[in-house]
């Protein structure tokens, strides 16, 4: 399995403080990944498979507490989630991360796919804004570590669910 591929290492843009694009390599077809998205986005804990990410569905929104590998915690709400079946999910965020994200699914072959994740955010915690220039490299590395953990967690979760679903004892 290839690790997360950072396409954009976290560039500054005029409209947001951080702009990231990552590519996840997933050992499941585009269709299987889409059905997982549908099921998980509707569940009480949409990111149960993502280490360090606690999530809770509240109505149409998802409230997230994300732990950083360097010790800080981000709290944000995902809302205005729009699904384009089997192709794309877009959403808005507010809280410690104010911005937008898009996840684009692409099939590679019948048993693998990619997810391109674009994330454009402003940080709102005063300490992060004040230390932005000095700690930017740390924030960028932490983002990539969290994304790698998500990619690994998703692939592990898919394997576990396939094994459970094919277990003849169940």
């Amino acid at each position: 399995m290839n690790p997360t591929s950072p396409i954009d290492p976290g560039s500054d843009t005029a409209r947001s403080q951080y702009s990231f694009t990552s590519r996840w390599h997933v050992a499941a077809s585009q269709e299987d990944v889409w059905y997982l998205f549908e099921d998980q986005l509707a569940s009480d804990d949409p990111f149960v498979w993502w280490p360090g990410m606690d999530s809770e569905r509240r109505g149409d929104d998802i409230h997230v507490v994300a732990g950083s590998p360097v010790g800080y915690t981000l709290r944000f709400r995902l809302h205005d989630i729009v699904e384009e079946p089997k192709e794309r999910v877009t959403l808005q965020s507010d809280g410690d991360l104010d911005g937008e994200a898009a996840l684009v699914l692409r099939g590679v072959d019948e048993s693998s796919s990619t997810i391109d994740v674009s994330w454009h955010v402003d940080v709102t915690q005063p300490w992060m804004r004040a230390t932005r220039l000095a700690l930017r490299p740390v924030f960028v590395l932490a983002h990539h570590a969290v994304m790698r953990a998500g990619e690994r967690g998703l692939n592990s979760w898919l394997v576990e669910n396939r094994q459970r679903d094919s277990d003849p004892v169940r």
Side-chain angles (χ1 to χ4, degrees):
M1 187 62 45
N2 292 332
T4 298
S5 306
I7 297 168
D8 179 344
S11 63
D12 252 340
T13 66
R15 66 179 285 286
S16 68
Q17 288 185 357
Y18 294 89
S19 183
F20 297 102
T21 305
S22 300
R23 175 165 290 153
W24 289 9
H25 301 273
V26 184
S29 70
Q30 180 177 352
E31 187 170 282
D32 288 346
V33 171
W34 178 258
Y35 291 129
L36 167 74
F37 275 14
E38 278 189 325
D39 290 345
Q40 287 307 118
L41 286 174
S43 75
D44 291 338
D45 185 2
F47 303 125
V48 66
W49 46 268
W50 196 325
M53 190 82 62
D54 294 320
S55 61
E56 178 185 0
R57 173 161 289 289
R58 296 184 200 160
D60 291 337
D61 300 341
I62 300 170
H63 292 256
V64 178
V65 177
S68 159
V70 293
Y72 59 88
T73 299
L74 298 172
R75 291 171 177 77
F76 52 96
R77 175 180 70 114
L78 304 176
H79 58 93
D80 295 327
I81 300 167
V82 177
E83 300 175 23
E84 297 174 32
K86 299 182 185 176
E87 300 290 331
R88 172 184 185 97
V89 175
T90 58
L91 54 88
Q92 302 295 311
S93 67
D94 58 28
D96 292 340
L97 299 176
D98 185 26
E100 60 191 18
L103 294 82
V104 178
L105 283 70
R106 290 191 178 82
V108 173
D109 55 38
E110 62 186 39
S111 63
S112 65
S113 56
T114 60
I115 304 170
D116 289 334
V117 182
S118 299
W119 189 232
H120 308 283
V121 294
D122 288 318
V123 293
T124 62
Q125 287 189 6
W127 75 269
M128 291 183 86
R129 293 177 79 81
T131 60
R132 179 173 166 233
L133 294 177
L135 293 181
R136 179 179 186 76
V138 174
F139 298 154
V140 169
L141 288 172
H143 169 80
H144 290 307
V146 168
M147 295 302 285
R148 281 190 305 276
E151 179 186 30
R152 285 191 307 268
L154 177 59
N155 277 294
S156 294
W157 197 80
L158 286 165
V159 168
E160 289 169 14
N161 281 297
R162 276 192 216 113
Q163 289 172 346
R164 184 191 69 220
D165 292 346
S166 67
D167 185 352
V169 175
R170 290 187 178 241

